[in-house]
Amino acid sequence: MKRGPRLPLPLSVAGRRWAGVLLGAMLTLFALDQAFAPPLERVRELSPVVVDRNGEWLMAFTTRDGAWRLEARLDEIDPEFQRRLIAIEDERFWWHPGFDPIALARASVSYARAGRVTQGGSTITMQLARLLEPRPRTIQSKLIEIVRAMQIERRLSKREILAAYLTLAPYGGNLEGVRAASRAYFQRDPQWLDDAEMALLIALPQAPEARRPDRNPRAARAARDRVLDLFVSAHLISRRRAEEGKESEIPARAPFPYSAPHAAEALVAANAGAGVVRSSLDATLQRDLESLARRHAANLERDAQIAILAVEIDGRAVRARVGGAGRERAGGYIDMTRAVRSPGSALKPFLYAIAFDENIAAPETLVRDAPRRFGGYLPENFDRRFHGDVTLEDALRHSLNLPAVATLERIGAGRFQAALTRAGAQVRMPRRADAEPGLALALGGVGLTLEDLVQLYAALGDGGEARPLTTGDVATFAFARRFVRPETAERVLEILATSPHPAGRIPAQIAQGAPQVAFKTGTSYGFRDAWALGVSNGYAIGVWVGRPDGTPRPGATGRSEALPVLFEAFDQLGAPPPPEQPRQQHAPVAPALVRFEGAEREDLSILFPPSGAEVLVLDYGAGSRGLSLSARGGSAPLTWYADGVRVANEPTSGRVIWRPPAPGFYDVTVVDAAGQSVSTRVRIRDSG
């Protein structure tokens, strides 16, 4: 049977078929677009920049691939620079879909006539695509860039595309982005640029290595001047301004600011992924204290360091953190403001503050400064002298050890440690199986950081209110706790402000305009750590001096090493001293607090040598090492005799050293100020 001619399908059926084909093609393109999306994540791999509280640069860090790549935020880039960049590089940027057919056609005709590339046809979006995925300059690469440019245009707005380009554009070496280039060549952000600077920043990305100003200044000048001429051709500036711009020098590359490295590293680690990290630091004070630390460290051994921490008491914002005097010195990469060390006598103000606050004692309470054994603990004063009856405020002013231990015995070591912990200090006990708080806590027998100590001193300066320190730009109080009453904190600061000043420093009461500093020093066992901490004019500042590895520095004390740095640090603040206040009248001392309960004078007794002892002596006479005589109880001063001959105190140490003239039996006698005497008989023998 013969078939008739095939009739066309109804239009509706054909339309549906073509629509299906078109839909399938669109879905395929969409799937390919999603599967092979442009690698825009590179735009977000930025160099972290840490700024101070006012936005001033402190320090920046390279990206993981070693580039200086700073985020370009259009609101912070000269708008005239943006306008000129688009006029020169991509005049139809705001309207094309990612590629410019007119520019491509013009470039193709020029290539056909000259036989080489004489002008580019790439848009800013296509250049961004090339920066994201570098390829050889071929026609195939250009086609891929066109496709990529359309993909980018679908994902980003025009302003986002321009910002991404200005973030990734190469400017020579490891400089990427207009902000990094402006910082390196002009030492400022590109918020305002002159004609010559704009021309240089537009010219460099086209041949960044060949035109590097620091290596090829002549090529950089020629490229910049050509762009200035283009400005004239595009009616952006006058010929006179272009000629003036050509007179400008080609800049060299300057290093980026490098300040507060320890604080900056910690802030970047805590704010991973942030392009700009704002801190509480003050760039000017930070640089001043870094310079102060370097200047004083120049007089120390090469393996010694200085750390300084300055905190504004109102808000507890850290305004300067100097972790060391330089990374070229031993231990320079360690932040010594956070290193755990022995605080020496720096804890004594808080020991007395708790005793005063809880009515265990008063500043006028008398305590005996004389040799005394506390169980198995026999402390001595730093200068090995004893002063008899002293008030607790004088004991604090002169940092006497025996009264401090006696005070801690009354408070309880565990109670004192708990108070410090509640105030925010992390008290680290020695690594022993029986590492419970002991009386050595009064003399620094624990581990604390400079940060812990400054936080405690800031509490004294804030009326006894304890709060944590903050280095970020927003103060977040994890706690606010009453450490001691305001009147107690004020009284302790009064005592510290009248402590003996270092040699060469005129007390603030005499020196006009000098800040009045309430300060305390500390020296750890074996001269490993020298401390000085103070409160004045709304700031708490702490200084540590020592070797990061903890080895001793014989003779280096907090008073000799750290205190001069502390006073200079307060001088750097430049704040006027507070108005002179009339001295407050304090309430009379309650009878129960006149003397520590049970601390009446002990009967005089000899601790060494004990009665009937035989003591081996290897050498005799004036050159002998001698025997150190000690007693307890009685009324100071004590006078010693050996067989009726007076034994004098050593002029340097203040200790009583008896040097027997020969072997034999001797009567050793001690007499106190009240005439009470005690004798002991001892045999001195030699090795024979």
Side-chain angles (χ1 to χ4, degrees):
M1 187 174 95
K2 186 175 180 182
R3 295 183 178 181
R6 179 177 293 181
L7 298 175
L9 292 174
L11 182 61
S12 60
V13 176
R16 284 197 298 270
R17 178 176 294 176
W18 280 109
V21 172
L22 181 61
L23 178 62
M26 291 177 63
L27 290 174
T28 301
L29 289 174
F30 179 79
L32 290 172
D33 177 69
Q34 295 299 311
F36 300 99
L40 293 172
E41 63 276 0
R42 186 164 179 262
V43 180
R44 294 184 289 273
E45 295 176 4
L46 302 170
S47 293
V49 179
V50 179
V51 299
D52 81 340
R53 58 174 173 164
N54 299 313
E56 184 176 346
W57 261 39
L58 290 168
M59 189 172 176
F61 299 82
T62 58
T63 61
R64 286 178 296 180
D65 54 359
W68 293 107
R69 185 184 304 130
L70 306 180
E71 181 182 9
R73 292 171 291 197
L74 297 187
D75 292 341
E76 299 175 5
I77 298 173
D78 191 330
E80 184 61 22
F81 168 76
Q82 300 176 46
R83 189 171 76 90
R84 294 183 186 182
L85 171 69
I86 291 171
I88 300 300
E89 289 292 324
D90 189 358
E91 59 182 329
R92 284 171 289 278
F93 171 74
W94 299 108
W95 298 283
H96 64 61
F99 68 97
D100 185 349
I102 298 174
L104 286 172
R106 186 172 59 239
S108 300
V109 170
S110 174
Y111 178 79
R113 288 176 177 174
R116 58 185 178 87
V117 176
T118 58
Q119 60 180 343
S122 295
T123 63
I124 288 176
T125 315
M126 290 170 64
Q127 292 181 56
L128 174 60
R130 185 165 61 246
L131 293 172
L132 292 171
E133 297 175 292
R135 290 186 176 85
R137 297 291 187 91
T138 64
I139 294 177
Q140 181 181 0
S141 296
K142 185 72 70 174
L143 294 174
I144 295 174
E145 288 168 12
I146 291 173
V147 174
R148 284 302 201 195
M150 290 189 293
Q151 287 182 289
I152 292 171
E153 292 273 350
R154 200 181 69 79
R155 287 168 168 80
L156 302 178
S157 69
K158 288 290 187 178
R159 285 180 59 83
E160 289 173 332
I161 291 169
L162 181 59
Y165 169 76
L166 290 175
T167 297
L168 296 179
Y171 284 89
N174 61 346
L175 294 177
E176 292 187 9
V178 68
R179 280 188 67 209
S182 183
R183 276 279 175 177
Y185 297 131
F186 312 134
Q187 291 78 63
R188 65 179 188 278
D189 277 332
Q191 293 178 317
W192 182 89
L193 300 166
D194 64 26
D195 296 327
E197 291 168 345
M198 291 185 195
L200 182 63
L201 293 179
I202 291 173
L204 286 178
Q206 308 312 315
E209 291 306 316
R211 300 172 180 176
R212 277 184 62 169
D214 54 331
R215 293 189 177 179
N216 301 299
R218 293 181 63 181
R221 178 181 292 275
R224 181 201 66 183
D225 293 351
R226 280 195 296 272
V227 174
L228 284 170
D229 290 336
L230 290 176
F231 286 172
V232 176
S233 301
H235 306 290
L236 298 172
I237 62 173
S238 66
R239 172 57 61 183
R240 181 181 59 81
R241 284 178 56 179
E243 295 305 319
E244 289 175 355
K246 292 178 181 180
E247 296 297 320
S248 300
E249 294 294 326
I250 295 297
R253 177 172 172 173
F256 289 142
Y258 183 90
S259 188
H262 300 97
E265 287 171 356
L267 285 167
V268 168
N271 295 272
V276 177
V277 180
R278 187 174 294 274
S279 74
S280 67
L281 301 176
D282 183 285
T284 301
L285 181 61
Q286 177 71 32
R287 288 192 296 266
D288 288 345
L289 295 190
E290 287 175 347
S291 176
L292 173 65
R294 286 193 298 270
R295 189 169 70 252
H296 279 267
N299 300 319
L300 304 178
E301 313 91 288
R302 287 284 300 170
D303 56 350
Q305 284 281 6
I306 296 178
I308 307 173
L309 187 65
V311 172
E312 190 172 7
I313 294 174
D314 184 13
R316 298 301 195 277
V318 175
R319 296 306 186 199
R321 184 189 291 273
V322 182
R327 294 195 164 181
E328 72 282 358
R329 303 179 70 88
Y333 285 85
I334 302 173
D335 184 355
M336 295 309 299
T337 66
R338 292 186 170 100
V340 179
R341 311 298 289 228
S342 169
S345 296
L347 287 179
K348 287 177 181 175
F350 311 102
L351 172 65
Y352 291 115
I354 292 172
F356 301 161
D357 204 62
E358 299 186 6
N359 290 321
I360 295 171
E364 299 82 4
T365 298
L366 291 173
V367 65
R368 185 76 172 157
D369 180 37
R372 181 180 171 189
R373 187 179 297 276
F374 298 84
Y377 185 40
L378 184 61
E380 289 183 318
N381 286 325
F382 186 79
D383 60 2
R384 296 198 170 116
R385 295 175 183 268
F386 300 103
H387 305 81
D389 285 343
V390 296
T391 63
L392 290 186
E393 61 180 336
D394 279 337
L396 176 55
R397 284 191 188 98
H398 299 282
S399 197
L400 303 180
N401 289 344
L402 271 298
V405 176
T407 304
L408 180 59
E409 186 182 43
R410 295 307 175 92
I411 294 174
R415 185 177 177 187
F416 182 45
Q417 181 195 3
L420 296 177
T421 302
R422 179 172 171 76
Q426 297 185 42
V427 181
R428 289 84 166 177
M429 301 305 299
R431 293 181 181 178
R432 301 194 308 267
D434 60 342
E436 295 296 327
L439 295 182
L441 182 58
L443 309 183
V446 292
L448 287 169
T449 66
L450 182 60
E451 195 172 49
D452 290 326
L453 289 169
V454 172
Q455 183 168 310
L456 291 172
Y457 278 82
L460 285 181
D462 195 21
E465 188 82 6
R467 297 178 185 271
L469 308 184
T470 176
T471 307
D473 63 329
V474 179
T476 54
F477 293 137
F479 64 83
R481 298 171 185 151
R482 176 64 56 193
F483 182 40
V484 292
R485 296 192 305 268
E487 55 269 26
T488 301
E490 182 180 358
R491 189 67 192 278
V492 170
L493 290 178
E494 283 180 6
I495 295 169
L496 295 178
T498 55
S499 297
H501 279 59
R505 180 81 183 190
I506 301 175
Q509 298 90 328
I510 302 174
Q512 186 175 2
Q516 186 173 14
V517 182
F519 68 92
K520 182 72 185 75
T521 61
T523 307
S524 66
Y525 178 76
F527 299 98
R528 288 174 168 81
D529 307 279
W531 306 85
L533 298 109
V535 175
S536 179
N537 296 338
Y539 272 79
I541 300 180
V543 176
W544 170 89
V545 183
R547 290 189 172 109
D549 63 1
T551 54
R553 301 178 62 238
T557 67
R559 189 172 187 82
S560 66
E561 303 286 298
L563 191 55
V565 182
L566 178 73
F567 274 101
E568 285 195 48
F570 276 110
D571 291 342
Q572 297 283 0
L573 293 176
E580 190 170 328
Q581 300 289 339
R583 186 172 179 85
Q584 292 189 1
Q585 298 297 320
H586 301 290
V589 182
L593 301 180
V594 171
R595 180 182 290 276
F596 270 146
E597 182 184 354
E600 295 81 7
R601 287 185 178 86
E602 300 179 63
D603 289 336
L604 184 63
S605 62
I606 294 176
L607 293 175
F608 185 85
S611 183
E614 289 190 4
V615 181
L616 177 66
V617 174
L618 301 179
D619 47 8
Y620 299 91
S624 168
R625 284 167 289 183
L627 304 175
S628 178
L629 306 180
S630 63
R632 69 180 177 188
S635 301
L638 304 180
T639 306
W640 290 85
Y641 299 89
D643 272 359
V645 178
R646 182 172 177 175
V647 182
N649 291 42
E650 292 288 299
T652 55
S653 67
R655 306 182 73 180
V656 180
I657 305 296
W658 172 43
R659 296 176 175 84
F665 288 90
Y666 292 87
D667 290 318
V668 177
T669 303
V670 61
V671 182
D672 72 358
Q676 182 183 187
S677 66
V678 177
S679 297
T680 183
R681 189 164 180 79
V682 60
R683 181 185 178 188
I684 303 298
R685 64 183 183 84
D686 55 24
S687 58

